Amino acid sequence: MTSIDVASAGGLPRKTEFRQCQYTGLKVDIAAQTLIKVNAVAAVIFLAIGGLFGLLVALTRWPAVHLLSSEMFYLVLTAHGADVLVFWIVFFEIAVLYFASAVLLNCRLATPKLGWLAFVLMVVGALVANVAVLQGESSVMFTSYPPLQAKPHFYLGLIVFAVGALLAVAIFFATLVIAKEEKTYEGSIPLVTFGALTAAIIAVYTLASGAIILIPTFLWSVGLIGNIDPLMYKAIWWGFGHSSQQINVAAHISIWYMIGALVVGAKPLSEKVSRTAFLMYILFLQLASAHHLLAEPGMSSEWKVLNTSYMMYLAVMASMIHGLTVPGAIEAAQRRNGFNRGAFEWLRKAPWGNPAFSGMFLSLIMFGFIGGISGVVLGTEQLNVLMHNTIYVPGHFHGTVVAGTTLAFMAVTYLVLPLIFQRDVIWPGLAKLQPWLFGLGAAGISMFMMGAGTLGVSRRHWDIAFSDASVPFQHSAGAFLMMGLNGISAILAAIGGILFVLIVVGTVLFGTKVGPGHKLTFPLHAGGVEAATHYGSEKGPKLTGTAILVAVFFVCFVLYYFVNWKYLADLWLFR
């Protein structure tokens, strides 16, 4: 343990303590380490709470079980959306930002006291919003569209949480400035930090959009504003609601690169190409928010076409670049590691027994094949009418946020536990199984919801059987089958989620403390830290396996895209 005196924001010296990680050689600011820990712990707590609510939602939507009453269903659905789409993910992303700045750059964290203020604001905001929902009369669901009105402290909790998150993002920016001024790294910031910077920039836009609309909505809830225009609310709110998922995309792709580097020694195929793809996210990714507004008559056709074609395709191109460069970097590294036979020895002999790697690669595949392809379909103006406001929409974002982001965050936790919490992972056999259980469950949830949505199942209705409707209506047997399979998948994902929480909590409380000379259960690659913390591209062999995987992806993409155009043509003929 070493300490140095540095100038604080007020000009007075403060002592910064560092330790040197025996596995990475990186200097770790103790204040940053503590803030990473508390944000990660808060994230896991809200994941556990939100996951429980999600299981209750799935069991209610399963017609054979139909667990909750309508009142409880919408209450639980609201809590589920807030806890997993906002609180779990943003808490974890703040931990990622601190790690990508202070730890990867060997730098002290800027203003740790403000970091604690940010954390307290986020915790208070999240708790207040949850209390408002659980008290009843705030069951407005994740979107909280007017004229539905929640209690004032629901909006106030979200606003306080957003302020805390913005403060934490500002600390990340300040830490980058300190690292630059104190020359704690050479050349350009590493790609992982650049991706985190992309997420932070998008976060400013996203959280500002939330504040812009939630502050007047709060004033409306206390009676100081007479009316909130629903279309205006939707247009601004989705700048928060959907763009918050774009923070996730930038963050979890950064994690893909980091896990690839630390576990197999993967370097980017081209730093310039990968950084350009991240830059395209900043410029174009938020435009995907428009797909929630394509059925709104108040938005012009020109606005819809521009946002859902020419501009959004540039964001899609950025994701496709990462979809090539991440597995390509892993293949190049594995071939450098000696796995050169055939097109796929590098993949067959990858460290699948390491849950960090398996979780990352499953996240990569599922995000691309499920979340990515379905997102392009939803973002196409003409095709959107087939799925708009059906359960296809939550099916899509379970493919992005759950199978993509949440699984990636789970995967990197298996690295955070020994490197930051300094505890070796307990129950390695169960840890190896956990990403597969959760990933397959999440994939099933997404695909079966999308299947049910294609068959017309409503996005928000609590009872697809419409058992209490005055006018009889019956979905097809296929729709009931899809929702039943969705329920089974939710149980599988819940088992994987519970296992993750137990492993994390058990490791933090009872895991073997990492001491000098301790060999990790899931070791790092010898050249992994160099790959993760330094600017540099891979000059490797031909990437035959990646080329085949990308070709399979494009075939699936084209087939699914045009199948949906066939569905649309059938709809026109029917009319």
Side-chain angles (χ1 to χ4, degrees):
M1 190 86 70
T2 60
S3 63
I4 59 172
D5 289 331
V6 297
S8 67
L12 298 175
R14 73 171 177 86
K15 185 168 288 187
T16 300
E17 292 187 340
F18 292 90
R19 68 172 179 89
Q20 186 169 26
C21 177
Q22 64 174 313
Y23 302 107
T24 64
L26 296 171
K27 287 195 313 179
V28 180
D29 178 3
I30 300 302
Q33 175 178 277
T34 305
L35 282 167
I36 292 170
K37 287 181 179 179
V38 295
N39 278 279
V41 167
V44 171
I45 290 172
F46 281 104
L47 172 65
I49 297 170
L52 173 62
F53 288 142
L55 179 61
L56 297 178
V57 169
L59 292 178
T60 303
R61 280 178 165 156
W62 186 352
V65 178
H66 204 49
L67 182 65
L68 301 176
S69 66
S70 59
E71 292 81 5
M72 283 300 299
F73 172 80
Y74 291 111
L75 184 152
V76 167
L77 181 59
T78 303
H80 170 63
D83 285 332
V84 294
L85 289 175
V86 180
F87 304 142
W88 136 250
I89 283 182
V90 176
F91 270 115
F92 200 93
E93 284 165 348
I94 298 305
V96 169
L97 292 183
Y98 291 156
F99 185 91
S101 55
V103 177
L104 289 185
L105 300 182
N106 290 289
C107 178
R108 62 186 175 90
L109 185 72
T111 61
K113 290 183 179 179
L114 287 182
W116 280 104
L117 175 60
F119 175 73
V120 170
L121 288 173
M122 291 170 66
V123 169
V124 170
L127 290 176
V128 168
N130 268 276
V131 168
V133 174
L134 296 177
Q135 285 178 331
E137 299 184 37
S138 293
S139 300
V140 291
M141 296 173 286
F142 178 63
T143 51
S144 56
Y145 287 156
L148 292 176
Q149 186 180 85
K151 290 295 184 181
H153 51 303
F154 172 77
Y155 304 112
L156 183 61
L158 293 176
I159 293 167
V160 171
F161 180 86
V163 171
L166 274 173
L167 181 57
V169 171
I171 293 169
F172 166 77
F173 289 135
T175 303
L176 295 186
V177 173
I178 290 172
K180 183 70 174 178
E181 290 181 348
E182 297 181 356
K183 299 179 180 179
T184 62
Y185 64 94
E186 297 178 0
S188 300
I189 59 175
L191 181 61
V192 175
T193 307
F194 189 88
L197 175 61
T198 301
I201 292 171
I202 297 174
V204 173
Y205 165 86
T206 300
L207 295 169
S209 297
I212 287 170
I213 195 58
L214 288 175
I215 290 174
T217 307
F218 165 72
L219 297 176
W220 169 62
S221 70
V222 297
L224 296 178
I225 291 179
N227 180 58
I228 295 290
D229 180 75
L231 181 57
M232 179 273 295
Y233 177 94
K234 287 183 179 181
I236 300 176
W237 189 91
W238 278 113
F240 162 75
H242 195 278
S243 295
S244 62
Q245 313 317 316
Q246 319 308 352
I247 309 172
N248 307 340
V249 172
H252 79 231
I253 290 177
S254 301
I255 286 172
W256 292 348
Y257 282 111
M258 183 172 74
I259 293 177
L262 292 178
V263 176
V264 300
K267 296 180 181 179
L269 296 178
S270 169
E271 286 270 2
K272 292 181 179 179
V273 170
S274 293
R275 289 170 191 252
T276 300
F278 277 123
L279 178 61
M280 292 169 72
Y281 277 164
I282 296 173
L283 296 176
F284 306 111
L285 195 57
Q286 294 91 303
L287 298 176
S289 306
H291 83 69
H292 295 280
L293 304 170
L294 293 179
E296 298 296 334
M299 314 302 288
S300 70
S301 296
E302 293 81 4
W303 181 89
K304 294 175 182 177
V305 170
L306 181 68
N307 279 275
T308 59
S309 56
Y310 306 109
M311 295 297 187
M312 199 187 78
Y313 292 156
L314 295 173
V316 174
M317 182 185 296
S319 290
M320 289 184 174
I321 289 172
H322 292 304
L324 167 66
T325 58
V326 173
I330 293 171
E331 179 177 359
Q334 283 288 85
R335 291 186 181 278
R336 180 167 27 86
N337 293 337
F339 303 109
N340 285 305
R341 296 178 59 185
F344 288 111
E345 185 188 25
W346 65 273
L347 190 58
R348 293 196 313 273
K349 296 189 177 179
W352 293 105
N354 187 328
F357 180 86
S358 61
M360 177 274 293
F361 211 88
L362 287 172
S363 166
L364 167 67
I365 295 296
M366 293 176 186
F367 178 80
F369 278 84
I370 301 175
I373 293 176
S374 63
V376 174
V377 170
L378 275 176
T380 303
E381 183 185 10
Q382 298 90 334
L383 297 180
N384 185 273
V385 299
L386 290 171
M387 302 94 171
H388 181 80
N389 221 26
T390 70
I391 207 165
Y392 189 103
V393 177
H396 155 69
F397 58 68
H398 277 77
T400 56
V401 181
V402 183
T405 301
T406 295
L407 191 53
F409 287 0
M410 287 178 171
V412 80
T413 302
Y414 291 106
L415 299 181
V416 171
L417 288 171
L419 298 182
I420 298 299
F421 287 85
Q422 297 177 272
R423 299 278 182 173
D424 206 355
V425 178
I426 65 170
W427 306 332
L430 291 176
K432 294 176 183 179
L433 182 63
Q434 184 273 322
W436 296 92
L437 288 176
F438 185 83
L440 293 175
I445 290 171
S446 181
M447 295 181 69
F448 295 129
M449 275 192 184
M450 290 193 294
T454 303
L455 295 173
V457 174
S458 171
R459 174 179 179 178
R460 293 182 172 91
H461 202 282
W462 77 294
D463 178 15
I464 76 164
F466 293 95
S467 55
D468 59 350
S470 57
V471 178
F473 177 81
Q474 184 71 35
H475 275 297
S476 66
F480 282 83
L481 175 62
M482 291 293 106
M483 295 310 296
L485 293 173
N486 170 69
I488 295 171
S489 300
I491 293 173
L492 182 61
I495 293 172
I498 292 169
L499 195 55
F500 172 76
V501 173
L502 291 176
I503 291 170
V504 170
V505 173
T507 297
V508 171
L509 296 179
F510 310 113
T512 302
K513 190 166 179 60
V514 170
H518 178 85
K519 292 185 178 180
L520 294 177
T521 302
F522 303 113
L524 304 181
H525 188 273
V529 178
E530 175 76 17
T533 59
H534 288 74
Y535 184 98
S537 302
E538 180 76 64
K539 296 181 180 179
K542 291 183 179 180
L543 306 176
T544 307
T546 300
I548 294 173
L549 292 176
V550 170
V552 171
F553 172 81
F554 273 112
V555 170
C556 294
F557 191 170
V558 170
L559 289 176
Y560 186 73
Y561 192 71
F562 283 102
V563 162
N564 280 279
W565 278 102
K566 177 63 168 59
Y567 289 160
L568 184 63
D570 292 342
L571 180 63
W572 286 335
L573 289 174
F574 177 75
R575 289 190 173 187

